[in-house]
Amino acid sequence: MFVAVLLLLVTLCAHRGHSEEAEEAQRPGHVSVIIVGATGDLAKKYLWQGFFQLYVNQVSSGNSFSFHGGGLSPADKATPVLFEALKAVSCSQDVSPERCALLKEQFLRLSQYRQLKTLEDYQALAKHIEQQLQEEGMTEAGRLFYLSVPAFAYADIAEKINGSCRPSSGAWLRVVLEKPFGHDFRSAQVLASQLGSSLKDEEMYRIDHYLGKQVVSKILPFRIENRQFLDPIWNKHSIERIEIVVKETLDVKGRIPFYDQYGVIRDVLQNHLTEVMTLLTAKLPKNVSSTEEVLQNKLQIFSSLLPLGKNQAVIGQYQAYKSEVQQELNKTKDHISLTPTFAAVLAHIDETQYEGVPILLISGKMLDERVGYARILFKNDMFCLQKHNSVHCKPKQIVFYFGHGDLQYPAILVSKNLFKPALIDGDWKEVTEHKDVSVLGLSISDYYVQTPTEQREAYAELISHIFAGRKNSFISSENLLASWSLWTPLLSSLASSFPRIYPGGADNGALLDVRLKGNDISYSSEVLIISPEQMGGAAANNFQVMQGKFRSADMVSAWAEGLVERLAEDLQEAAEAAVREAGVFHLALSGGSTPLALFHRLVLHHFSFPWRNTHVWMVDERCVPLTEPESNFRSVYDHLLQHVRIPYYNIHPMPVQLNQRLCVEEDRGALQYEKELSKWVNGSSFHFVLLGVGYDGHTASLFPGSKASEHGESLVTLTESPVKPHQRMSLTFSAINRAHRVALLVMGKGKHELIQQLSRVKDNSDKYPVLAVKPDQGTLVWYIDYDALLG
């Protein structure tokens, strides 16, 4: 707590110093702009245009400028590339062609390229700036460094700037940093510490270009300007849900070396969408231009967000991503990438105002359209009996529309059954003439629409803020670390999860649709079986464990060795948890050959397994003497029980042989086992049940054609097998479904066709008895090896 308070005080002090910085920026003087990474894609596409716009706006303000493009390449190679980018800059419509031509000519004359690689290069840059100031008799206003380079280079460049390129006393220094700011909480913390040793907090501008989007920057002002309408409805009683969505149609070809390390959550959700979420839900500041108050209110939201775990996210990967990774990273066809290109995350804020309100954050590549928006959907208590198209019965919503999509321009839309919003300021106008388009289920004519009078590019907006020393549109270190502390646990939990493969574009259909249930989110359709091509034909020595969904239940997949290793770990974890909680662990094991590898793994590697506190029960048994090789108990004893230190009275074989007879109904062996189970097992609920699946879909000794309902509430029953020995004793579905955890282990190429069938069919437990395994309160996990999954 003390550290958090200290960090906040440091921030407030930094921001108080900032108002002085803002005043300093307005004093006439010389400003040196240095773009490091000046010939990269970002610089060519946005930065030079943004700085030209700054020059156009400031040329008559009394400031003078020089622009330096820096990079690792020698000047003779990079200069032609730089000047091609400079020649492409353009003026806004309110600048005459003649004046624009003159300003472009001046801008080119004031710009030059310098190699910035070594400390000596930065020292030479500083010397050049100082000579220029001296020769022309100019007062220095400040130096602006824009680091358009990978984040790993930040600390080294910041050290060089600090050591050799600081301006003289009285002038400001501003260093702009592009995301990503680390890839998790720890790396962000390290980066912040490294930068902090060279730069003051007020000198750093961490840029998130979404905060420069005109619609995003107007979220808080809109909420304040319309608070008389919004205050009564901006809460859990009126808000149905909040959606923040960015869809893209492009792939990530050409960006794979970066993207494969980060993925869609780090690239879009952790920064852009999270920032929008805080602006939508933070307490309104008394003064929207108060950086300190806005920061405090955003931090309050972070502290109130419920933790994000695996149940709060679904991920996907477009189908062509695999081959793009192989090509750009020079990987073999065996290589598997788990990097998600699509994610939908469900967040909740643990505050009275927003309690229970779902907040959806969704983004992905290769989707059906390019569009971005934040939508607040309100509950509608109206029911129109006849005029269903009445404005009162249509969705009630406010949409902050970032741009693109059918509407094509940025706008704030308020459905006409809510209220007519006030205009924010003179930079915005109301749109009254509409094209025939629909936005999120409503015709555009059903909205009040506001749009900027002049559309401005986000980077140009933020560059003007940097020059003015305004920090409210930038990410503070506290804000950054708070965001990473929210997202890092989710990223860790998803690290081994296999994303759902989707074809891309319109072909995705309903494949990426999601369903919300309480605090959890899931895909609304069943998982599709992954083909060997999609998996990349993973090599047999790759034991990477992947997680996903199969028939709405959790699924763990790996090659056989890795799968058995994971199952053994999960089994021991369940045993230790049960012993801690109840002092005992009740385990029910099936027979057959499938679990033998698991038994061997437990014997050879799990010496700390709590066998002394474990009771072993049988899931099913053949009606043969327990000493016979065909006996399931004999198999479990030979491969497991005789090799571990388990008390003999903790072992519970099924009584298939009574009165020197095998499975005679009058001997009531099934009832005897049921009574023993009820006596020892609390609530007759096993902690862990291990099942296999037969080629015909049977599990335990419950075969096709024997209806699950026939056994009623009984826990143990006699059954008939289609193969010898025909008679069996088995736990019923009633007993199995009471378990805390049920594991279905499916291994081998021979089970591939069965898995394919099970992935497609609806619930049909008569034909496939295994489909009746549905724990009442517990968890079902399918453990499927790649041979069974891929064939």
Side-chain angles (χ1 to χ4, degrees):
M1 184 65 186
F2 173 75
V3 174
V5 171
L6 184 61
L7 282 171
L8 191 56
L9 287 173
V10 170
T11 306
L12 296 182
C13 292
H15 287 308
R16 275 196 289 274
H18 229 4
S19 59
E20 296 169 14
E21 288 287 311
E23 290 171 17
E24 198 78 42
Q26 308 310 315
R27 296 175 190 169
H30 187 77
V31 179
S32 303
V33 173
I34 304 99
I35 301 180
V36 186
T39 57
D41 287 342
L42 179 68
K44 289 190 286 189
K45 198 170 179 182
Y46 296 112
L47 301 186
W48 286 113
Q49 176 61 43
F51 279 108
F52 175 62
Q53 193 64 47
L54 175 71
Y55 176 69
V56 170
N57 294 339
Q58 294 292 327
V59 72
S60 303
S61 66
N63 292 295
S64 59
F65 290 87
S66 58
F67 299 92
H68 306 268
L72 300 178
S73 303
D76 58 338
K77 286 188 176 178
T79 298
V81 179
L82 173 64
F83 278 90
E84 282 303 311
L86 294 178
K87 282 189 257 182
V89 299
S90 59
C91 301
S92 57
Q93 291 180 350
D94 59 344
V95 179
S96 68
E98 295 77 18
R99 179 161 172 74
C100 183
L102 177 64
L103 290 170
K104 281 184 69 171
E105 185 185 337
Q106 290 173 357
F107 186 64
L108 263 67
R109 201 165 55 244
L110 294 170
S111 305
Q112 61 172 290
Y113 180 88
R114 301 183 69 88
Q115 186 174 35
L116 291 177
K117 193 173 185 180
T118 65
L119 178 61
E120 290 74 22
D121 292 334
Y122 282 84
Q123 289 170 338
L125 170 65
K127 188 175 180 182
H128 171 79
I129 292 172
E130 284 151 16
Q131 280 180 345
Q132 185 182 15
L133 290 167
Q134 196 172 7
E135 288 170 7
E136 301 187 22
M138 296 184 292
T139 302
E140 185 167 27
R143 297 181 190 179
L144 195 165
F145 284 84
Y146 198 118
L147 307 192
S148 180
V149 295
F152 65 75
Y154 287 169
D156 178 57
I157 295 174
E159 191 177 348
K160 289 185 172 76
I161 292 170
N162 181 47
S164 61
C165 270
R166 281 192 168 276
S168 57
S169 178
W172 49 257
L173 171 67
R174 292 175 192 148
V175 180
V176 188
L177 308 164
E178 272 285 343
K179 77 172 184 70
F181 314 114
H183 61 271
D184 57 15
F185 181 82
R186 178 67 186 142
S187 60
Q189 208 174 30
V190 168
L191 181 58
S193 175
Q194 290 173 336
L195 289 169
S197 64
S198 299
L199 302 169
K200 300 172 189 173
D201 194 63
E202 64 265 26
E203 293 171 339
M204 287 184 275
Y205 287 71
R206 296 178 186 86
I207 199 166
D208 182 336
H209 76 272
Y210 260 62
L211 295 180
K213 287 182 177 290
Q214 289 169 288
V215 167
V216 175
S217 68
K218 283 295 181 280
I219 291 175
L220 279 181
F222 176 87
R223 289 179 59 197
I224 291 170
E225 192 67 32
N226 293 283
R227 66 183 311 164
Q228 62 172 320
F229 305 114
L230 293 176
D231 278 356
I233 63 172
W234 208 260
N235 55 56
K236 64 182 180 183
H237 302 298
S238 299
I239 298 177
E240 177 112 358
R241 67 175 178 270
I242 297 172
E243 305 163 9
I244 308 165
V245 178
V246 172
K247 299 202 289 184
E248 299 180 70
T249 55
L250 296 176
D251 55 23
V252 287
K253 217 179 288 181
R255 294 180 62 214
I256 295 290
F258 160 79
Y259 197 89
D260 202 54
Q261 294 181 57
Y262 286 87
V264 69
I265 294 177
R266 290 181 174 94
D267 190 38
V268 181
L269 277 75
Q270 179 270 329
N271 35 72
H272 303 328
L273 303 197
T274 302
E275 285 298 311
V276 173
M277 175 178 66
T278 60
L279 292 172
L280 289 170
T281 55
K283 181 182 173 184
L284 290 177
K286 292 185 177 70
N287 178 4
V288 75
S289 61
S290 167
T291 304
E292 302 92 345
E293 193 181 357
V294 171
L295 169 64
Q296 282 181 301
N297 293 353
K298 288 167 77 172
L299 289 174
Q300 178 60 44
I301 289 296
F302 281 116
S303 68
S304 301
L305 280 160
L306 292 177
L308 296 177
K310 282 179 64 177
N311 291 343
Q312 282 74 57
V314 294
I315 54 175
Q317 184 187 92
Y318 65 79
Q319 195 163 350
Y321 184 80
K322 173 189 69 74
S323 59
E324 290 169 10
V325 168
Q326 291 169 1
Q327 184 177 353
E328 293 188 35
L329 299 183
N330 198 23
K331 299 288 186 181
T332 65
K333 289 188 176 180
D334 296 335
H335 178 74
I336 300 169
S337 172
L338 300 182
T339 301
T341 60
F342 169 83
V345 174
L346 177 61
H348 284 89
I349 296 172
D350 190 18
E351 284 185 2
T352 306
Q353 182 177 359
Y354 300 111
E355 184 182 9
V357 175
I359 304 173
L360 271 170
L361 299 94
I362 300 177
S363 185
K365 305 285 185 183
M366 292 289 284
L367 300 181
D368 59 325
E369 62 175 335
R370 182 188 180 191
V371 70
Y373 62 86
R375 168 164 77 154
I376 297 85
L377 180 64
F378 294 90
K379 297 171 183 176
N380 195 342
D381 56 2
M382 290 291 294
F383 176 76
C384 300
L385 187 61
Q386 289 182 245
K387 292 186 177 180
H388 301 295
N389 288 327
S390 164
V391 67
H392 301 296
C393 270
K394 292 182 178 179
K396 291 182 175 181
Q397 54 196 25
I398 298 173
V399 182
F400 296 94
Y401 197 87
F402 309 150
H404 305 293
D406 291 334
L407 193 56
Q408 288 297 306
Y409 57 84
I412 298 175
L413 304 97
V414 179
S415 58
K416 288 182 177 177
N417 52 6
L418 274 172
F419 60 88
K420 183 172 183 178
L423 271 175
I424 304 167
D425 53 42
D427 292 336
W428 285 65
K429 64 182 180 181
E430 187 173 352
V431 180
T432 53
E433 294 183 10
H434 306 293
K435 295 184 295 181
D436 185 21
V437 296
S438 175
V439 175
L440 297 174
L442 281 181
S443 167
I444 193 67
S445 60
D446 287 326
Y447 290 104
Y448 295 112
V449 182
Q450 295 181 3
T451 190
T453 51
E454 179 192 344
Q455 290 188 38
R456 294 193 292 271
E457 207 284 315
Y459 276 100
E461 283 285 280
L462 292 174
I463 286 168
S464 71
H465 291 191
I466 297 162
F467 176 74
R470 290 167 47 199
K471 291 203 80 169
N472 13 358
S473 299
F474 298 89
I475 311 299
S476 70
S477 56
E478 292 83 0
N479 201 110
L480 174 67
L481 294 177
S483 178
W484 275 123
S485 68
L486 171 71
W487 288 99
T488 298
L490 175 64
L491 288 162
S492 300
S493 71
L494 293 173
S496 60
S497 297
F498 195 80
R500 172 173 287 198
I501 302 299
Y502 60 95
D507 292 339
N508 296 332
L511 198 58
L512 300 179
D513 289 352
V514 295
R515 176 180 287 116
L516 311 184
K517 187 176 182 182
N519 287 354
D520 295 353
I521 186 173
S522 61
Y523 281 121
S524 61
S525 60
E526 293 293 346
V527 72
L528 298 186
I529 292 299
I530 303 157
S531 71
E533 291 75 25
Q534 291 166 342
M535 285 287 295
N541 63 353
N542 182 345
F543 298 131
Q544 175 118 43
V545 177
M546 298 179 185
Q547 293 174 258
K549 291 283 184 182
F550 184 75
R551 294 195 62 86
S552 301
D554 290 336
M555 176 181 71
V556 177
S557 305
W559 292 109
E561 183 176 332
L563 187 69
V564 168
E565 183 178 333
R566 172 60 180 272
L567 177 54
E569 289 171 358
D570 290 351
L571 182 59
Q572 177 157 348
E573 186 180 315
E576 290 171 346
V579 171
R580 275 196 308 273
E581 187 176 330
V584 67
F585 177 56
H586 288 287
L587 169 65
L589 296 173
S590 60
S593 59
T594 300
L596 297 186
L598 171 67
F599 297 161
H600 295 162
R601 177 83 198 176
L602 290 170
V603 169
L604 296 174
H605 297 281
H606 288 257
F607 302 111
S608 61
F609 195 98
W611 289 113
R612 288 188 177 279
N613 305 93
T614 298
H615 284 253
V616 172
W617 302 80
M618 297 305 298
V619 166
D620 63 329
E621 183 58 274
R622 296 178 170 96
C623 291
V624 297
L626 299 182
T627 54
E628 293 294 317
E630 294 94 340
S631 164
N632 286 343
F633 175 77
R634 171 69 187 268
S635 176
V636 173
Y637 178 81
D638 287 349
H639 294 280
L640 176 65
L641 298 179
Q642 69 168 327
H643 303 291
V644 296
R645 298 174 69 87
I646 182 170
Y648 74 90
Y649 48 79
N650 284 12
I651 300 170
H652 305 272
M654 281 183 159
V656 291
Q657 190 172 15
L658 293 172
N659 303 321
Q660 297 182 333
R661 299 190 297 186
L662 292 170
C663 294
V664 174
E665 197 163 340
E666 299 86 66
D667 293 336
R668 307 183 76 180
L671 184 61
Q672 180 178 317
Y673 201 61
E674 182 170 325
K675 285 180 178 178
E676 186 178 358
L677 192 162
S678 300
K679 174 186 173 183
W680 286 92
V681 182
N682 184 29
S684 302
S685 300
F686 293 109
H687 292 106
F688 200 107
V689 175
L690 176 67
L691 301 174
V693 186
Y695 297 103
D696 58 357
H698 84 266
T699 193
S701 282
L702 302 167
F703 296 92
S706 62
K707 296 187 190 269
S709 58
E710 288 178 357
H711 307 301
E713 293 299 310
S714 63
L715 305 179
V716 187
T717 189
L718 294 174
T719 65
E720 289 285 326
S721 166
V723 295
K724 290 184 179 180
H726 296 295
Q727 287 186 302
R728 307 286 177 96
M729 185 180 290
S730 177
L731 295 181
T732 65
F733 288 116
S734 181
I736 291 168
N737 288 333
R738 291 186 188 190
H740 297 286
R741 187 179 179 109
V742 179
L744 274 162
L745 180 60
V746 189
M747 299 173 69
K749 287 182 184 290
K751 301 285 176 71
H752 175 61
E753 186 176 343
L754 172 70
I755 290 296
Q756 289 282 350
Q757 290 170 347
L758 293 179
S759 73
R760 298 188 187 107
V761 299
K762 295 182 179 178
D763 285 348
N764 185 348
S765 56
D766 288 349
K767 185 173 182 181
Y768 301 100
V770 69
L771 299 184
V773 178
K774 294 177 179 177
D776 302 326
Q777 303 294 330
T779 304
L780 170 63
V781 182
W782 292 79
Y783 292 82
I784 309 177
D785 77 348
Y786 289 155
D787 280 331
L789 194 63
L790 305 176

